[in-house]
Amino acid sequence: RPSRTKYIIEKLKSDKLYDKCLKLDTRYATEDELSLVHSKEYIEIIKSTEKLSEKELRKLSNTYDSVYLTRETYSAAKLAVGNVLQVVDSVLTDQCLNGFACVRPPGHHSSRTKASGFCCFNNVSIAAKYAINKYNKKRILILDWDVHHGDVNIPWNGGPMTDSEYMLAFFNVILPIAYDFNPDLVFISAGFDAALNDPLGEYQLSPQVYGHMTHMLSRLANGKLIMCLEGGYNLISNGLCASECVSVLLGKCPESLPLKQYNGSAIETLKCVIGFQSTNWPNLKFDFDLPESLI
């Protein structure tokens, strides 16, 4: 819904961050740009929604998982992709060090030939391909911290997770892999549905932990980091979390983060992940001491 992006912009303005940012012109992605990731046949299917009746739209929507289509879907999805590409151009031509793409619809669940989870075109995947083709980037890191992440990697079990579990994952999995990989460019699929009070995620992350995760990732790729809005269904939480992230992109040092006792199931999950991933990333190891606070 449009209020997701509107509320974030309003929050950035009220926190006096909006005027510190460079606002970029909007543009639609071309079909050639969409085809960097998606098949021509699939693009035509989504394009056809512009002329379908309400009954036909519902029928097509029902062929996908958790997708709602209207006659404006194709236009909105093209605009979301195009706006992320505008941020890529700005960052990789050194107009800006980093950027935040406040776009809708999200994209991280869509595959080459299928819409899914409110997503039609995979904004970040297209942007990564675009950066590779246009700017000859070799190593691109994509981190998806949305609670319904892009269908892989660290599958939490055992109830709602908090800041503590996410910091454990960062220190023991994300950062060791990220520094070993040494990316040229970092994308964050920034869904805020793991935030406290989100009705779908039901997790308990604070806005501050999103700032810390952003800060840690901004140490990579000489600071070239692009955030792209994905999920998040509590307007207030979305605004708080996005504002915290943008303040860090603008140079703010995150506030001290008190950490609590972690969920024991998180340890088992991370051990499994490390055991699986260590064949490709030998620097991964078990080290689950949790500091009293993160500064």
Side-chain angles (χ1 to χ4, degrees), residues 132-191:
I132 290 168
N133 290 356
K134 184 172 181 178
Y135 296 100
N136 198 33
K137 293 299 174 182
K138 303 296 185 184
R139 297 183 307 280
I140 296 178
L141 172 69
I142 300 173
L143 177 70
D144 189 340
W145 67 37
D146 188 289
V147 73
H148 309 101
H149 52 81
D151 311 316
V152 294
N153 296 329
I154 302 177
W156 294 128
N157 298 291
M161 298 298 169
T162 67
D163 296 354
S164 299
E165 290 78 36
Y166 273 67
M167 287 298 94
L168 279 176
F170 251 73
F171 292 142
N172 289 282
V173 178
I174 303 300
L175 292 180
I177 289 176
Y179 275 93
D180 219 18
F181 183 54
N182 191 25
D184 302 317
L185 177 64
V186 176
F187 285 98
I188 300 176
S189 280

Side-chain angles (χ1 to χ4, degrees), residues 154-264:
I154 302 177
W156 294 128
N157 298 291
M161 298 298 169
T162 67
D163 296 354
S164 299
E165 290 78 36
Y166 273 67
M167 287 298 94
L168 279 176
F170 251 73
F171 292 142
N172 289 282
V173 178
I174 303 300
L175 292 180
I177 289 176
Y179 275 93
D180 219 18
F181 183 54
N182 191 25
D184 302 317
L185 177 64
V186 176
F187 285 98
I188 300 176
S189 280
F192 298 121
D193 50 0
L196 187 67
N197 298 321
D198 187 275
L200 291 187
E202 300 183 342
Y203 275 23
Q204 299 173 8
L205 299 196
S206 69
Q208 290 73 30
V209 82
Y210 286 105
H212 277 278
M213 292 190 291
T214 301
H215 180 73
M216 288 186 282
L217 292 170
S218 71
R219 305 301 93 187
L220 299 159
N222 294 316
K224 293 189 178 298
L225 183 152
I226 297 171
M227 305 185 70
C228 181
L229 182 64
E230 299 283 5
Y233 307 98
N234 181 302
L235 297 181
I236 294 175
S237 297
N238 285 355
L240 290 169
C241 296
S243 180
E244 187 69 25
C245 292
V246 170
S247 71
V248 170
L249 294 181
L250 288 168
K252 173 189 171 183
C253 183
E255 298 176 3
S256 177
L257 183 67
L259 298 177
K260 302 176 182 179
Q261 182 64 39
Y262 42 75
N263 186 321

